[in-house]
C-alpha cells in the first residue's frame, strides 16, 4: 500500500500507540484485501457492542483502548445486549450487566454517539450522495450502499473501529466503482411478496452473489421490506449491495421453490412461546404501522419489540407506545433480537418472528427454534 | 525468501507448523496459549514464544480478540506466517502488534517445524 508521509508516521508510532494500532489495522486489512491506499470517510458505524458478541477479551481490549483513544469522525454504535432502563425487570446475570456497562462506557469515552442502533440510516441525517462511510453492521452497510447513496464496504468490527479512530478506510472492494457493478441478476418471481418474502430473497441473494447483485422484478418496496431485504442479504454471505433492474451477466430466478427451501432452512417450529419484532430494530414508521395493525387486538403471548432510543420520545408523543403496550407489546430500546441474552433457551423453546436475520441468530446463537412468518400472519394468528 | 507484509515488525525464533487452518476463537485457550481443539493437528501444543505457521484462520471474527488476549496474557506467538491473509488473523495481529506475513505456496511448503528463522516483516524477508 502507498501511504502518505503523515500516515506512515502514524503507523510508526510517532503520534502514539493508539493511532499506530489503528493504522496497523487499516494497513493489515488493506493489504489482505488488495487495497493500494487509504481514503477519507465521514462516518463510522461500529459493531462489537453487545457483550455476547465480543466477550471478555473484547471488553478488556476496548477498556484499554479507551484510556487515551478518541474517535476522529462521527461514530455511531450497534445495539447492546439489553436495555439499561428495563434490565431490572429481567432475570439477567449481574456479571453480564457489569461487562456490558464497561463496553458502553469505553465506547462513550472514546466519543461514540450513544445510538445503540442497527438502523443508523433511519435515525441520523444521511450525508450527501457518494459520501464514503464505514459501516460494520451488515444490514446498515447494504442499506447505505443500496438506498442511501453512500459508499461503504461491509466492514468488520476492526476496520470500522480503526476508521473511527483515523477517519480513513482502505480503498478496496465496494469503494471501487467497477466492483459496485453487479454481474449477476436475480429475478424476483414470487407473487404478492411481503417483508418476509423480501427477507428470504435477500438471504438467497447473499448466498449466491459476490460483492454486488442486481434484483429485477422488485417494485414498490415499503420501509419494512427494504430493511428485511438488507438484513436477509447481510446474514447469509459477503454481498454488500444491490441495484434494481437487470444487469449484464448471469441470471437466476428466485421462485416459490427457492423460497420454500429457505423457509424450510430457517423455520424450525410451527409455533412459538414468545414473539420478537425488530431485527433490524423498528423505526418510527414501522412502529406507527404496527400500532395501526393492532387496533382493537391484543397479543395472545409475550411480544418483545426492539427499537432505538432515538424514537422513544416520538412514539410516546404520537401515542403509538401506549396503544401497542395496551395490546400487550413490550418495548425494549438500545438492543435487538439478535444475540440478546433476554431470549433464553432455558425459558423459551421457540420464538415467533418475521425476521430472517433474527431467525438465523435465534437458532444459531440463542439456540431456540423459530416460527418464521410475516407480520401480517403474526397479527392474524397471535393476537385476538 | 521474500514474503508479503500484512503487519510490520521483527521476530527471531523457531517455527511451529500447523497443517490445518486455525480457529482462534474456538480452538485456542486464550489464557494459556494451548491448542484445545481435539481435531486440530496442534492439539495439546503451546503456540506462544514461537513463530506460528498455518494456512489461514477460520471461524468467527471475534477470534481477533482471542489473539489480543493471547498477547495480553503473554502466551502469543512471536509472529505468524500464513498462506493466505484472512481478515480475522490480520485484524488480530494488527491490534496485538504481532508481525504477520504471507508466503507463496512453494516457500510456505518449505517451512519446517523447529527451524530457526529471522523474520524481517518490514522489508518482507525470511532468513
Amino acid at each position: 500500500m502507498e501511504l502518505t508521509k503523515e500516515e506512515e508516521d502514524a503507523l510508526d508510532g510517532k503520534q502514539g500507540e493508539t493511532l499506530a494500532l489503528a493504522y496497523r489495522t487499516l494497513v493489515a486489512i488493506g493489504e489482505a484485501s488488495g487495497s493500494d491506499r487509504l481514503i477519507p470517510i465521514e462516518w463510522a458505524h461500529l459493531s462489537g457492542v453487545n457483550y455476547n458478541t465480543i466477550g471478555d477479551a473484547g471488553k478488556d481490549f476496548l477498556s484499554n483502548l479507551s484510556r487515551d483513544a478518541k474517535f476522529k469522525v462521527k461514530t455511531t454504535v450497534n445495539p447492546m445486549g439489553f436495555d439499561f432502563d428495563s434490565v431490572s425487570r429481567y432475570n439477567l446475570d449481574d456479571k453480564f450487566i457489569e461487562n456490558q456497562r464497561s463496553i458502553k462506557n469505553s465506547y462513550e469515552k472514546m466519543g461514540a454517539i450513544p445510538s445503540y442502533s442497527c438502523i443508523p440510516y433511519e435515525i441520523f441525517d444521511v450525508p450527501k450522495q457518494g459520501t464514503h462511510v464505514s459501516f460494520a453492521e451488515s444490514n446498515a452497510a447494504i442499506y447505505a450502499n443500496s438506498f442511501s447513496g453512500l459508499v461503504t464496504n461491509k466492514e468488520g468490527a476492526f476496520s470500522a473501529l480503526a476508521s473511527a479512530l483515523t477517519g480513513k478506510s482502505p480503498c478496496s472492494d465496494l469503494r471501487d466503482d467497477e466492483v459496485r457493478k453487479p454481474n449477476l441478476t436475480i429475478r424476483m418471481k414470487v407473487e404478492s411478496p411481503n417483508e418476509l418474502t423480501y427477507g428470504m430473497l435477500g438471504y438467497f441473494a447473499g448466498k449466491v452473489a459476490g460483492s454486488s447483485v442486481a434484483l429485477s422484478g422488485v417494485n414498490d418496496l415499503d420501509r419494512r421490506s427494504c430493511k428485511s431485504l438488507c438484513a436477509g442479504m447481510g446474514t447469509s454471505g459477503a454481498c454488500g449491495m444491490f441495484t434494481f433492474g437487470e444487469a449484464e451477466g448471469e441470471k437466476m430466478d428466485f421462485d416459490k421453490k427457492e423460497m420454500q427451501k429457505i423457509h424450510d432452512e430457517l423455520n424450525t417450529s410451527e409455533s412459538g412461546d414468545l414473539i420478537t419484532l425488530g431485527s433490524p430494530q423498528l423505526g418510527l414508521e414501522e412502529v406507527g404501522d404496527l400500532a395501526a395493525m393492532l387496533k382493537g387486538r391484543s397479543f395472545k403471548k409475550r411480544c418483545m419489540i426492539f427499537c432505538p432510543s432515538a424514537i422513544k420520545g416520538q412514539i410516546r408523543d404520537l401515542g403509538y407506545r401506549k396503544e401497542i403496550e395496551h395490546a400487550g407489546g413490550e418495548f425494549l430500546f438500545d438492543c435487538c433480537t439478535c444475540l440478546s441474552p433476554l431470549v433464553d433457551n432455558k425459558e423459551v423453546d421457540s420464538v415467533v418472528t418475521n425476521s430472517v436475520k433474527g431467525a438465523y441468530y435465534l437458532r444459531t446463537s440463542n439456540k431456540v427454534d423459530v416460527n418464521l412468518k410475516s407480520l401480517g400472519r403474526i397479527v392474524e394468528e397471535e393476537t385476538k | 525468501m521474500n514474503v508479503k507484509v500484512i503487519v510490520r515488525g521483527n521476530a527471531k525464533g523457531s517455527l511451529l507448523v500447523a497443517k490445518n487452518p486455525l480457529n482462534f476463537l474456538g480452538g485456542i485457550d486464550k489464557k494459556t496459549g494451548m491448542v484445545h481443539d481435539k481435531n486440530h493437528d496442534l492439539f495439546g501444543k503451546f503456540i506462544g514464544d514461537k513463530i506460528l505457521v498455518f494456512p489461514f484462520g477460520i471461524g468467527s471474527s471475534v477470534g481477533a480478540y482471542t489473539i489480543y488476549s493471547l498477547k495480553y496474557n503473554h502466551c502469543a506467538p512471536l509472529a505468524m506466517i500464513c498462506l493466505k491473509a484472512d481478515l480475522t488473523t490480520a485484524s488480530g495481529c494488527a491490534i496485538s502488534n504481532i508481525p504477520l506475513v504471507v508466503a507463496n505456496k512453494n516457500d510456505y511448503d518449505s517451512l519446517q517445524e523447529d527451524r530457526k528463522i529471522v523474520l524481517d516483516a518490514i522489508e518482507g524477508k525470511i532468513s
Side-chain angles (χ1 to χ4, degrees):
Chain A
M1 273 173 96
E2 290 283 324
L3 299 181
T4 64
K5 171 82 172 59
E6 203 189 344
E7 290 163 354
E8 199 60 65
D9 284 350
L11 180 64
D12 282 343
K14 288 180 187 152
Q15 292 174 47
E17 174 48 28
T18 296
L19 275 180
L21 176 151
Y23 275 99
R24 266 202 313 272
T25 305
L26 293 178
V27 169
I29 289 166
E31 292 288 357
S33 59
S35 164
D36 59 351
R37 68 200 153 101
L38 300 175
I39 55 160
I41 57 106
E42 288 188 15
W43 176 6
H45 180 77
L46 309 183
S47 62
V49 180
N50 185 340
Y51 173 66
N52 252 351
T53 63
I54 65 170
D56 289 328
K59 178 204 70 175
D60 293 343
F61 170 76
L62 292 168
S63 166
N64 291 337
L65 187 68
S66 70
R67 277 189 214 143
D68 62 355
K70 284 281 172 285
F71 295 140
K72 205 166 177 177
V73 291
K74 172 177 169 178
T75 299
T76 52
V77 281
N78 244 7
M80 300 184 282
F82 55 83
D83 177 351
F84 271 96
D85 288 343
S86 67
V87 69
S88 58
R89 296 208 307 264
Y90 298 86
N91 185 22
L92 207 62
D93 186 344
D94 283 346
K95 236 189 112 207
F96 192 107
I97 297 171
E98 275 325 295
N99 289 331
Q100 183 65 73
R101 193 187 307 279
S102 163
I103 295 167
K104 178 180 193 285
N105 289 345
S106 296
Y107 279 122
E108 290 178 19
K109 200 173 159 207
M110 290 189 275
I113 299 167
S115 54
Y116 303 110
S117 171
C118 48
I119 54 166
Y121 48 81
E122 207 175 334
I123 59 172
F124 290 99
D125 290 335
V126 173
K128 69 173 197 299
Q129 287 266 327
T131 302
H132 282 257
V133 298
S134 191
F135 281 10
E137 161 58 35
S138 61
N139 98 80
I142 296 170
Y143 196 103
N145 279 322
S146 312
F147 291 115
S148 311
L150 303 176
V151 181
T152 180
N153 276 317
K154 200 179 149 190
E155 304 290 346
F158 300 97
S159 61
L161 181 64
S163 289
L165 292 165
T166 58
K168 293 186 180 178
S169 167
C171 187
S172 57
D173 300 327
L174 289 172
R175 300 194 189 279
D176 176 347
D177 284 342
E178 280 306 304
V179 179
R180 294 177 77 82
K181 282 187 196 153
N183 52 17
L184 167 70
T185 303
I186 293 171
R187 295 189 284 220
M188 174 64 166
K189 297 283 185 187
V190 181
E191 283 172 22
S192 24
N194 54 42
E195 85 286 356
L196 174 58
T197 323
Y198 285 114
M200 293 192 283
L201 169 66
Y203 192 80
F204 174 77
K207 279 189 178 188
V208 295
S211 297
S212 176
V213 65
L215 304 174
S216 71
V218 174
N219 304 303
D220 302 327
L221 287 174
D222 61 5
R223 175 87 79 170
R224 187 158 68 230
S225 295
C226 288
K227 289 166 71 175
S228 179
L229 174 59
C230 294
M233 191 178 286
T235 303
S236 61
C239 184
M241 72 173 281
F242 55 86
T243 59
F244 291 112
E246 295 226 340
E248 286 181 24
E250 202 189 332
K251 313 278 187 285
M252 280 174 101
D253 287 350
F254 178 72
D255 53 19
K256 263 185 119 165
K257 212 177 111 211
E258 291 297 345
M259 184 175 83
Q260 192 59 45
K261 271 197 237 164
I262 289 180
H263 194 262
D264 291 346
E265 178 189 332
L266 296 167
N267 180 71
T268 56
S269 175
E270 289 316 304
S271 64
D273 312 324
L274 163 76
I275 306 159
T276 68
L277 301 176
S279 174
Q281 289 170 331
L282 303 190
L284 182 61
E285 203 179 312
E286 288 165 280
V287 174
D289 282 352
L290 181 65
M293 288 169 89
L294 289 172
K295 277 250 151 62
R297 292 173 167 268
S298 63
F299 285 106
K300 292 190 225 166
K301 56 185 69 154
R302 203 167 152 207
C303 177
M304 293 163 103
I305 300 160
F306 295 92
C307 297
S309 298
I311 65 163
K312 221 177 194 174
Q314 289 163 300
I315 63 169
R316 183 197 57 216
D317 296 347
L318 291 165
Y320 299 154
R321 181 168 183 174
K322 210 170 167 189
E323 288 170 32
I324 292 171
E325 283 179 341
H326 190 70
E330 183 178 324
F331 279 93
L332 288 131
F333 300 93
D334 294 335
C335 51
C336 143
T337 305
C338 294
L339 291 140
S340 174
L342 304 177
V343 179
D344 187 342
N345 63 10
K346 287 188 216 74
E347 290 164 20
V348 295
D349 293 325
S350 57
V351 174
V352 179
T353 187
N354 64 338
S355 164
V356 163
K357 178 177 183 174
Y360 178 87
Y361 287 104
L362 282 165
R363 201 163 46 88
T364 56
S365 297
N366 298 67
K367 316 265 187 225
V368 294
D369 280 321
V370 176
N371 179 210
L372 182 62
K373 55 195 177 198
S374 67
L375 184 60
R377 265 189 68 196
I378 292 177
V379 171
E380 201 181 297
E381 295 172 14
E382 309 286 350
T383 64
K384 57 188 174 195
Chain B
M1 174 187 308
N2 291 318
V3 289
K4 181 179 163 73
V5 177
I6 306 295
V7 178
R8 288 187 200 185
N10 288 298
K12 202 161 93 180
S14 52
L15 301 179
L16 176 66
V17 181
K19 282 193 195 74
N20 301 331
L22 264 179
N23 182 332
F24 283 97
L25 184 66
I28 295 170
D29 185 331
K30 64 188 182 198
K31 293 205 172 82
T32 62
M34 302 297 285
V35 177
H36 61 195
D37 173 2
K38 285 191 179 131
N39 296 317
H40 198 275
D41 57 289
L42 290 187
F43 173 65
K45 290 205 172 148
F46 175 59
I47 62 163
D49 303 333
K50 290 201 168 176
I51 296 173
L52 183 63
V53 181
F54 62 107
F56 49 86
I58 51 169
S60 167
S61 62
V62 181
Y65 284 130
T66 306
I67 298 176
Y68 174 79
S69 292
L70 289 168
K71 176 86 173 199
Y72 202 69
N73 295 324
H74 307 288
C75 47
L78 301 170
M80 300 191 201
I81 304 173
C82 293
L83 192 55
K84 197 172 85 180
D86 65 280
L87 292 184
T88 300
T89 308
S91 320
C93 286
I95 61 171
S96 316
N97 206 5
I98 296 171
L100 170 67
V101 297
V102 171
N104 72 39
K105 182 87 174 83
N106 281 343
D107 288 340
Y108 181 87
D109 287 341
S110 74
L111 296 168
Q112 300 285 334
E113 182 90 15
D114 293 330
R115 182 178 145 193
K116 287 192 168 52
I117 65 158
V118 176
L119 171 66
D120 175 350
I122 291 168
E123 295 300 321
K125 285 191 190 320
I126 288 177
S127 52

